[in-house]
Every structure is written in structure tokens, then in C-alpha cells.
Amino acid sequence: MTNIKSMLLNDGSSLPAIAFGTVNVKGAPGLYDVLNAIESGYRLIDTSTNYNNEGMVGEALRRTSVPREKLMISSKLPGAAHSYDDAIQMIQESLYRIGIDYFDKYLIHWPLPKQDKYDEAWQALVDAQKFGLIKTIGVSNFLPEHLDRIIEKTGVTPATNQIERHPYFNNKKLVEENKKRGIVTEAWSPLGRELNDVLENDTIMSLAKKYNKKPAQIIGRWNMQNDVLLVVKASSPQHQKENLNLFDFELNNEDMKQIDSLDKGEPGRVEGQHPNEYEEFD
């Protein structure tokens, strides 16, 4: 099994540098994807209430031979539950669905500034951590102004901020703003999903050939060298293992800059989901 490095968080805990993502991973096929991922060496499983698969993740935990204490489960608060009481109940309900006593990590999925309750939602996560329902609390898709508001209101800084990041939308400024605040960046959609051709990009393909690696490994290593935690998804056991094998090579500075140069800015977002505009209530 690949030895995945750990990333130290601002609350003193640590997470594996690579997580297995479960967006659109459901039902029996999804169950076996997650079981294969655990068998391949993944120890951090990333889900969300709005993925509608928390029950499947719970079934995988019951079926795997890996003890619960060696696995880390992360989920996310949906936009429909940003009020304080709703958030506390949703966290509890998600735990019941999965069949676990606590989350190793739990995030607010989107800030939803038009709703203007994300600071209330954050207070709920802060308190849920005190209640023992969550070990590490963080956010997802938060911009600097959202981060500063919740930090000022509660005195608690998120441990992680999970954001869209891939070569066509490297979100570099937000990665730097996270670092300034001592927040670890997590990258969702690090391979661009199926909505763009980043894995067939000429620069990425050329670097894969140069380093004798797969394109996905080049992108994974680029994130790793930027101290970004990867949330990757793959159905094939072979691809799952390949996505873990990032620790036996290093990209030089010139090659890192080449990948940075692929950024397209706002048009590079996979689904055009800007955190100040996107409304997630379903």
C-alpha cells in the first residue's frame, strides 16, 4: 500500500494528503468503488449530504475490514440547513445515515452569501465540534471575505477550505489567501472532471512523458507541491492506485510554472460555480 503523507492542520490534527471523492458515486457500483478505494489505500473518504450517498458510504464502512478508527469520514452541510438549529440537526442526521458517532472532518459546502447565514452555520460547526460530533471543522468554496467574517464572529479559523482547483482554474490567489490564514487548501475536481480536456492537454501530456508518469499523476504532484490536499475520484482500481502514487518524483520549478500557465481564469471553472453567485439548496 502506498504511504500517503500527512498534512498538519491548524487545530493540531492531521489528514492524509489525498482523499477519495464520492460525488456522483452511488448505489451498488458506488459501494464497490469505495471498497476498492479503501483496499487501494485511501483512508479519507469525502462525501456530502447533497451527494445523496451517505448511506452507501456507511455500508462501505460496515463491509470493509479496515477498522473505523483507521478511516476518516468527511461530509458537508447543505445550503438548506444554514440556520443554527437546522445545521446541528443535519449533522446529527448525517451521522445516523452513515452509522457513525462522529465525523473526522465536516465542512460547510457553500457560503451562499445571498442567504447570508454562513456565519450562523459556522457557529453550529464550532459547537458541534465541542459536542464531540466533529473532530475537524472547515469550509468549502469560501472566499477571503467569507473566511474573515466567520473568523471575526467566532474566533475560530477553519482547518481546511475545499475549493475548485485544476490546471485550467488554478485558483492560485485563493490558495495563497488560505495559507495566510493558516488554512489548508483542499482541491475538488483536481482533474477537471469530464467537462474539460485537461488530461489530454499537450503540456500535461508532455510532462507525463518526461517524468514517465500518467497525466493525472502530474496534476496530482503539482497540487501536492503547492501543499494542496487532493480529493480525487476514480472507478478503476488501477486509476485509484495511480492517483495515490505521487511521492516518488518531483516536478521542477519550470514545469510547475508551465502548469500554472494553463490557467484560464473564470472561464476555466468546470461548471461556472462562482461562490458569490452559486445557490445550493437542492
Side-chain angles (χ1 to χ4, degrees), residues 115-152:
Q115 186 181 1
D116 200 31
K117 291 183 179 179
Y118 60 87
D119 52 348
E120 193 175 338
W122 181 243
Q123 185 64 59
L125 265 64
V126 171
D127 290 347
Q129 185 180 40
K130 293 175 182 176
F131 301 156
L133 302 178
I134 309 168
K135 289 193 172 181
T136 289
I137 55 176
V139 294
S140 183
N141 303 299
F142 272 48
L143 300 177
E145 59 266 31
H146 308 141
L147 295 170
D148 290 341
R149 176 170 158 178
I150 62 173
I151 293 168
E152 181 180 351

Side-chain angles (χ1 to χ4, degrees), residues 114-278:
K114 293 178 183 179
Q115 186 181 1
D116 200 31
K117 291 183 179 179
Y118 60 87
D119 52 348
E120 193 175 338
W122 181 243
Q123 185 64 59
L125 265 64
V126 171
D127 290 347
Q129 185 180 40
K130 293 175 182 176
F131 301 156
L133 302 178
I134 309 168
K135 289 193 172 181
T136 289
I137 55 176
V139 294
S140 183
N141 303 299
F142 272 48
L143 300 177
E145 59 266 31
H146 308 141
L147 295 170
D148 290 341
R149 176 170 158 178
I150 62 173
I151 293 168
E152 181 180 351
K153 291 214 170 186
T154 66
V156 179
T157 300
T160 68
N161 185 11
Q162 187 177 120
I163 63 175
E164 179 177 353
R165 175 177 157 84
H166 48 80
Y168 288 166
F169 186 72
N170 65 38
N171 226 343
K172 196 169 186 179
K173 288 184 179 179
L174 186 49
V175 173
E176 291 170 354
E177 291 293 335
N178 286 337
K179 282 184 179 179
K180 284 181 187 177
R181 293 161 179 77
I183 299 170
V184 167
T185 297
E186 301 181 57
W188 63 260
S189 190
L191 306 180
R193 294 187 184 168
E194 64 277 7
L195 300 176
N196 65 37
D197 64 351
V198 69
L199 291 175
E200 287 82 43
N201 178 273
D202 288 344
T203 296
I204 300 297
M205 296 281 282
S206 175
L207 291 175
K209 184 176 180 181
K210 174 180 177 179
Y211 288 92
N212 194 28
K213 291 291 180 180
K214 302 292 184 180
Q217 293 172 320
I218 296 296
I219 295 170
R221 187 65 204 178
W222 166 70
N223 269 307
M224 203 67 61
Q225 288 179 218
N226 278 291
D227 300 316
V228 173
L229 188 156
L230 290 164
V231 182
V232 295
K233 186 184 78 169
S235 294
S236 158
Q238 178 185 343
H239 289 161
Q240 289 179 356
K241 290 175 183 176
E242 287 173 356
N243 288 338
L244 289 175
N245 290 326
L246 308 178
F247 305 101
D248 60 350
F249 75 108
E250 188 168 324
L251 300 171
N252 65 40
N253 289 336
E254 170 108 20
D255 294 334
M256 291 285 287
K257 290 177 182 177
Q258 278 196 71
I259 301 175
D260 285 344
S261 72
L262 299 177
D263 182 61
K264 297 179 180 181
E266 284 298 317
R269 290 186 187 271
V270 293
E271 295 177 352
Q273 296 170 326
H274 192 289
N276 272 333
E277 300 296 329
Y278 183 62

Side-chain angles (χ1 to χ4, degrees), residues 100-116:
I100 54 179
D101 296 325
Y102 62 89
F103 283 113
D104 299 275
K105 178 165 67 69
Y106 195 85
L107 315 175
I108 299 174
H109 205 160
W110 289 89
L112 307 179
K114 293 178 183 179
Q115 186 181 1
D116 200 31

Side-chain angles (χ1 to χ4, degrees), residues 18-63:
I18 306 174
F20 185 74
T22 63
V23 63
N24 298 324
V25 177
K26 300 178 184 180
L31 171 63
Y32 289 105
D33 285 352
V34 174
L35 287 171
N36 284 332
I38 294 172
E39 181 68 23
S40 295
Y42 292 86
R43 291 297 177 263
L44 175 57
I45 308 299
D46 180 269
T47 184
S48 169
T49 296
N50 271 4
Y51 295 170
N52 294 313
N53 64 6
E54 289 174 319
M56 176 275 293
V57 171
E59 184 62 20
L61 294 182
R62 288 185 287 276
R63 293 198 189 191

